[in-house]
């Protein structure tokens, strides 16, 4: 099988061509600069099944039982409109200063950019979710894009990936146009069809974290990041409320090596922590937390009109209601320093081509066609390859304890290694 040479900027590109409170395509948003914002709430909402609560929330009285009534209507469960088909969504973070966001993020100048972008792949059989982070500093060619209002942008060459969002937002004058250009760019780069997009802002992110009572993270080293609202965290397992989680997600200077790739790793850890929290019995069995979380997600989001339909959201989430953290894999597009600008940019490696082919064909991300064809024991491409993204398993139906002290070999490096929501990426104590 031959793949495009993704290590060369521009290679393989073709330039020819809601819920109650959600903002859809026509919505206007601030043109402030977009900075890093982990898309934890969107992913957790999509995979937790918590959005099934929206059905009851919006008056589905068929699910009520008084025990005395007769001739009741049948209970109607949400229907997945894409049942049996894979779903690919582009998730982005926005630093819109609209409304209360200016008090959270402060003033900002410059064009609007999506510094956090994740391609979320949901398998057709609803047994796997892969969240692939796309580094904002990837050198790419950006095709001519169509905005929400029908305008077109000029193609751009050898630009940072997040310039795609900026070009669309500038031409269309809204966040939706930025998201559409990012979406068209990803499709041109990867050959993967995207079913829709979701963009969330500061306020929504904070509210989602607070709605579930915060999250806990293992902080391995002291963090002192003055530019992230004077964020200071001591080493150890630390509880993070919405504000602290947002500061942690945005922090770059003074944390780790200060690179965007390092920040992606921390965002993935935060994302995994929120997924575990939302999937926990403490959240799903608590109507107040569940409904608060759903409200937080839907009130601070811009998305395409198809994804925003209530039936689509609830049906998809309901079909994923049995998913566990070990079935959710987080990874970053394989990359290497850009030879033309190694200090600031990266380019995708040859392995990125295989990743996109596997996602396009709804195969596990560690599937190796060459190994599968050579191994007589491989069936459907699922058993021939072994990689860091493989989900952990427990014998005889035992529960996996993701908090147990791992050996050194068991610790995955977030941002570099693929890992699941049940894997260990940091060790405290």
């Amino acid at each position: 099988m031959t793949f495009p040479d993704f290590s060369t900027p521009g290679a393989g590109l073709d330039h020819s061509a809601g819920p109650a409170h959600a903002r859809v395509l026509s919505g206007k948003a601030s043109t402030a600069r977009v900075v890093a914002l982990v898309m934890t709430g969107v992913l957790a909402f999509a995979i937790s099944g918590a959005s099934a609560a929206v059905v009851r929330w919006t008056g589905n009285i068929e699910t009520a039982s008084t025990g005395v009534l007769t001739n009741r209507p049948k209970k109607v469960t949400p229907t997945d409109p894409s049942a049996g088909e894979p779903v690919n969504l582009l998730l982005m973070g926005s630093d819109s200063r609209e409304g209360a966001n200016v008090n959270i993020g402060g003033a900002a100048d410059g064009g609007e950019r999506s510094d956090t972008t994740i391609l979320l792949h949901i398998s057709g059989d609803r047994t796997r979710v892969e969240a692939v982070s796309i580094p904002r500093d990837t050198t790419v060619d950006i095709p001519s894009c169509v905005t929400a209002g029908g305008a077109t942008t000029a193609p751009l060459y050898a630009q940072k990936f997040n310039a795609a969002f900026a070009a669309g937002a500038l031409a269309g004058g809204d966040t939706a146009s930025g998201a559409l250009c990012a979406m068209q760019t990803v499709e041109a780069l990867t050959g993967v069809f995207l079913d829709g997009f979701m963009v969330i802002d500061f306020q929504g992110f904070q509210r989602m974290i607070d709605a579930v009572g915060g999250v806990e993270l293992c902080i391995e080293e002291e963090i002192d990041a003055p530019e992230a609202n004077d964020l200071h965290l001591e080493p150890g397992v630390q509880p993070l409320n919405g504000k602290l989680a947002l500061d942690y997600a945005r922090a770059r200077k003074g944390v780790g090596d200060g690179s965007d790739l390092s920040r992606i790793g921390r965002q993935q850890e935060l994302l995994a922590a929120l997924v575990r929290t939302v999937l926990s019995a403490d959240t799903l069995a608590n109507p107040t937390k569940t409904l608060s979380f759903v409200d937080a997600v839907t009130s601070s989001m811009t998305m395409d009109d198809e994804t925003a339909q209530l039936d689509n959201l609830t049906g998809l989430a309901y079909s994923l209601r049995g998913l566990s953290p070990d079935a959710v894999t987080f990874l970053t597009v394989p990359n290497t320093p850009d030879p033309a600008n190694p200090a600031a940019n990266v380019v995708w490696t040859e392995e990125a081509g295989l990743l996109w082919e596997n996602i396009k064909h709804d195969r596990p991300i560690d599937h190796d066609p060459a190994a599968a064809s050579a191994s007589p024991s491989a069936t459907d491409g699922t058993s021939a390859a072994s990689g860091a993204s493989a989900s952990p398993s427990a014998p005889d139906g035992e529960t996996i304890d993701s908090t147990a002290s791992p050996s050194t070999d068991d610790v995955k490096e977030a941002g570099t290694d693929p890992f699941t929501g049940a894997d260990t990426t940091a060790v405290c104590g």
Side-chain angles (χ1 to χ4, degrees):
M1 182 175 296
T2 303
F3 302 110
D5 180 10
F6 286 92
S7 62
T8 302
L13 301 187
D14 179 5
H15 295 292
S16 60
H21 303 292
R23 296 187 299 273
V24 294
L25 263 176
S26 59
K28 296 291 183 180
S30 167
T31 55
R33 178 177 55 89
V34 173
V35 298
L37 176 62
V38 67
M39 278 301 303
T40 57
V42 176
L43 175 59
F45 175 71
I47 69 171
S48 67
S51 63
V54 177
V55 176
R56 296 189 295 276
W57 192 23
T58 53
N60 183 14
I61 62 171
E62 288 84 355
T63 62
S65 176
T66 64
V68 296
L69 301 180
T70 59
N71 298 321
R72 301 296 306 281
K74 290 183 178 181
K75 177 179 178 179
V76 178
T77 57
T79 300
D80 186 349
S82 301
E85 299 179 1
V87 174
N88 298 305
L89 298 173
L90 198 64
L91 314 180
M92 291 160 280
S94 166
D95 76 340
S96 168
R97 263 49 175 193
E98 194 175 65
N101 289 300
V102 69
N103 298 322
I104 297 172
D109 299 317
E112 193 167 0
R113 296 173 183 262
S114 57
D115 285 354
T116 296
T117 303
I118 294 173
L119 193 158
L120 182 72
H121 174 75
I122 302 171
S123 67
D125 62 8
R126 303 298 185 256
T127 62
R128 304 187 327 271
V129 171
E130 283 106 26
V132 186
S133 296
I134 300 176
R136 66 166 194 180
D137 295 334
T138 304
T139 303
V140 300
D141 287 351
I142 299 169
S144 174
C145 298
V146 179
T147 69
T152 57
T153 66
L156 301 171
Y157 303 97
Q159 299 290 313
K160 289 181 184 288
F161 168 76
N162 65 349
F165 195 104
L170 181 63
D174 54 23
T175 297
S177 294
L180 284 174
C181 193
M183 184 174 172
Q184 292 166 83
T185 300
V186 170
E187 288 189 336
L189 289 169
T190 67
V192 174
F193 177 83
L194 297 176
D195 294 277
F197 69 81
M198 297 180 178
V199 185
I200 198 165
D201 62 22
F202 291 153
Q203 184 180 20
F205 176 83
Q206 286 197 185
R207 290 183 60 202
M208 283 183 289
I209 296 290
D210 288 333
V212 296
V215 296
E216 286 192 344
L217 276 185
C218 170
I219 308 298
E220 291 188 294
E221 299 178 350
E222 181 181 5
I223 292 177
D224 189 10
E227 292 189 14
N229 288 327
D230 291 323
L231 175 67
H232 184 82
L233 295 172
E234 296 289 342
V237 177
Q238 301 289 350
L240 303 182
N241 60 18
K243 181 183 181 304
L244 286 176
L246 176 62
D247 292 341
Y248 182 81
R250 297 176 62 203
R252 184 169 64 86
K253 296 180 180 179
V255 188
D257 62 9
S259 69
D260 183 59
L261 293 177
S262 175
R263 176 168 56 185
I264 285 175
R266 293 191 302 277
Q267 291 176 346
Q268 291 174 349
E269 289 179 310
L270 185 55
L271 178 57
L274 182 56
V275 167
R276 289 192 296 268
T277 302
V278 173
L279 290 176
S280 70
D282 182 56
T283 299
L284 295 180
N286 186 322
T288 300
K289 283 187 177 182
T290 299
L291 295 182
S292 294
F293 183 77
V294 170
D295 180 65
V297 173
T298 58
S299 63
S300 302
M301 187 176 292
T302 303
M303 65 182 76
D304 66 282
D305 52 2
E306 287 295 321
T307 305
Q309 292 182 28
L310 181 63
D311 289 347
N312 289 350
L313 282 175
T314 56
L316 178 60
Y318 191 78
S319 70
L320 291 165
R321 64 194 181 282
L323 211 63
S324 58
D326 65 300
V328 184
T329 301
F330 306 89
L331 67 154
T332 305
V333 180
N335 62 84
T336 191
D338 181 356
N341 190 3
N345 286 8
V346 300
V347 291
W348 296 348
T349 65
E350 213 171 275
E351 287 76 13
L354 178 59
L355 169 66
W356 299 130
E357 283 296 303
N358 284 337
I359 288 178
K360 182 194 302 185
H361 296 286
D362 196 21
R363 299 188 295 240
I365 58 172
D366 58 358
H367 171 70
D368 185 341
S373 60
S375 173
S377 62
T379 58
D380 297 328
T382 59
S383 61
S386 59
S389 61
S391 299
S393 59
D396 302 323
E398 296 176 6
T399 301
I400 299 172
D401 182 4
S402 62
T403 64
S405 297
S407 68
T408 302
D409 293 338
D410 292 332
V411 180
K412 307 291 178 64
E413 184 177 351
T416 300
D417 300 326
F419 69 96
T420 76
D423 287 330
T424 299
T425 58
V427 180
C428 286

